[in-house]
Amino acid sequence: QVQLVESGGGLVQAGDSLRLSCAASGRTVSRYTMGWFRQAPGKEREFVAAFNKITGITYYEDSVKGRFTISGDNAKNMVYLQMNSLKPEDTAVYYCAADSRLVPGRLRYEYVYWGQGTQVTVSS
């Protein structure tokens, strides 16, 4: 089992930056695919970014390319999402997800483990 706990959310203004953190426990996630999803009010949970350090494959949702960066720290069993140039449409609850597959997926069902989420609100 893998437990995931997100942190780092908050209220910021458009153009600001935030770094979300995801602390993993239970197992070392260095070989896992790690992803970030988000869910805005009244909308479906959507893919944001994912990567796997073993395969070196990284994916980003088109609207965040060039603004968001996913990364990991194996020594700390942590995954991060650096979010720059934030926009009001980035407002959502952000979820960390993990799965043992080596090729990152973009769909919810491709991830077994989920955190509880952290709220990000971007004001205009």
Side-chain angles (χ1 to χ4, degrees):
Q1 293 290 329
V2 176
Q3 292 80 44
L4 303 172
V5 178
E6 304 93 336
S7 61
L11 172 63
V12 297
Q13 293 186 331
D16 286 350
S17 298
L18 273 178
R19 188 177 79 157
L20 304 184
S21 299
C22 174
S25 61
R27 290 184 180 176
T28 299
V29 296
S30 58
R31 297 182 61 86
Y32 278 54
T33 282
M34 303 300 296
W36 287 94
F37 286 71
R38 66 186 179 186
Q39 188 166 14
K43 294 188 177 182
E44 294 291 319
R45 192 172 301 185
E46 67 174 5
F47 171 79
V48 175
F51 82 121
N52 182 286
K53 282 196 172 183
I54 302 300
T55 61
I57 298 173
T58 302
Y59 291 134
Y60 292 97
E61 193 269 330
D62 286 346
S63 69
V64 308
K65 284 181 181 177
R67 300 190 299 123
F68 291 11
T69 303
I70 187 171
S71 64
D73 185 331
N74 289 344
K76 296 181 179 180
N77 224 24
M78 296 284 293
V79 177
Y80 305 100
L81 184 68
Q82 178 66 45
M83 306 186 295
N84 299 328
S85 302
L86 283 161
K87 303 175 181 180
E89 51 264 43
D90 294 319
T91 294
V93 177
Y94 283 71
Y95 297 90
C96 178
D99 193 83
S100 59
R101 65 180 66 220
L102 293 179
V103 178
R106 301 171 188 255
L107 303 175
R108 287 182 63 177
Y109 75 84
E110 295 179 289
Y111 293 83
V112 173
Y113 304 106
W114 291 86
Q116 293 301 306
T118 184
Q119 176 71 47
V120 172
T121 303
V122 184
S123 63
S124 58

